[in-house]
Amino acid sequence: MTTIPGLDGRVAIITGGASGIGRATAHQFARAGATVVVADLNHEGAEKTVAEISRDGGDALAVTGDLSDPAIIERLVAETTQRFGGADLLVNNAGVTDSKTPPARVSDAEWERVVRINLTAPFLLTRAVLPHMLRQEHGVIVNVASEAGLRGGAGGIAYTATKHGVVGMTKSLAAAYRMAGIRTNAIAPGAVRTNIGTSTTPVDPEGRDLLAPVLEMGIGIGVAEANEIASVAVFLASDAAANINGAIIPADGGWAAL
């Protein structure tokens, strides 16, 4: 019989919880017993996720805004603390892809947008949550990286650089707080059936062709459902993963092994 690892009594902040992997993770955390704070730029989607969790008997709160804005980060952490007393779990999932434009033609605007959302925002939120975790001497951070954080040809240069950054941030946090009761791990999904690819500018044809050999290899293995990635996040957040810290877990059907 399959059982869900318990997260009873824990408070989890999950970014990008309005859709895709974030939404699936919010639902699975709630079913495992966690109280969930859904953070997303999409107000309607975040409120829908919260309504669904509440309908199923869970406890959830939506906080919306641009997570690369320090003022929004401050409000998110303040509302979480006021409502639930603090945060035990953090899932940095929110992110965007890039246009896959070849490096020689990437604009400053695209580079800065992708770095701001994919790398700066999770750093800012992690930094804001860490004092709470340090005071209580326990906490778990799960970062959602990507296959593009493990290799050079699974995304455009901005996306690839940020996901390598997420991998580095994960290892740095794990090393820094390994004796403080705080664990940090990352998931590196391959192709997943979400709407992330529809939220950015159109794909550059030249860049798509340059990346095709690697991308097609991953898609050929199979496209995962968001729930399959969320299940890994639940495991990493649970006590079942108590001895796992600083790990980057590929959840890609074996793509990273090729």
Side-chain angles (χ1 to χ4, degrees):
M1 180 173 132
T2 301
T3 59
I4 299 174
L7 301 177
D8 293 320
R10 301 178 196 183
V11 178
I13 297 174
I14 299 172
T15 71
S19 63
I21 294 170
R23 178 176 174 273
T25 300
H27 277 285
Q28 289 202 27
F29 271 50
R31 285 197 293 271
T35 296
V36 177
V37 179
V38 177
D40 203 293
L41 184 62
N42 180 347
H43 177 79
E44 182 178 350
E47 291 288 357
K48 181 179 179 182
T49 300
V50 166
E52 292 167 344
I53 290 171
S54 299
R55 181 195 63 206
D56 294 339
D59 194 2
L61 168 71
V63 179
T64 55
D66 182 351
L67 294 173
S68 66
D69 181 347
I72 300 299
I73 295 289
E74 183 178 351
R75 178 164 64 83
L76 168 59
V77 175
E79 291 191 25
T80 301
T81 302
Q82 289 165 11
R83 176 83 172 265
F84 304 119
D88 305 288
L89 312 172
L90 170 61
V91 180
N92 284 309
N93 163 74
V96 295
T97 58
D98 59 16
S99 65
K100 299 181 176 60
T101 299
R105 294 194 286 105
V106 172
S107 69
D108 289 354
E110 179 173 27
W111 175 267
E112 289 165 4
R113 172 177 176 266
V114 176
V115 170
R116 176 173 56 84
I117 295 170
N118 287 5
L119 188 56
T120 300
F123 164 71
L124 292 175
L125 181 52
T126 299
R127 185 178 64 182
V129 168
L130 275 169
H132 299 269
M133 292 183 172
L134 288 167
R135 278 195 296 272
Q136 62 197 19
E137 299 182 338
H138 69 83
V140 180
I141 300 166
V142 179
N143 295 320
V144 178
S146 168
E147 181 73 22
L150 306 178
R151 61 174 80 225
I157 190 169
Y159 185 76
T160 299
T162 58
K163 292 305 183 178
H164 274 73
V166 169
V167 167
M169 183 172 71
T170 298
K171 294 181 178 182
S172 180
L173 289 164
Y177 298 112
R178 67 192 184 280
M179 304 301 290
I182 299 170
R183 297 189 292 109
T184 307
N185 296 291
I187 306 168
V192 183
R193 209 179 314 279
T194 71
N195 65 352
I196 187 171
T198 65
S199 61
T200 59
T201 53
V203 174
D204 180 273
E206 182 186 357
R208 179 192 59 213
D209 292 345
L210 286 172
L211 296 171
V214 176
L215 293 176
E216 290 173 1
M217 180 172 59
I219 293 172
I221 289 173
V223 178
E225 300 296 333
N227 276 322
E228 296 176 289
I229 310 304
S231 296
V232 181
V234 173
F235 167 70
L236 290 174
S238 76
D239 291 343
N243 202 40
I244 301 177
N245 190 25
I248 314 301
I249 310 295
D252 59 9
W255 190 6
L258 298 179

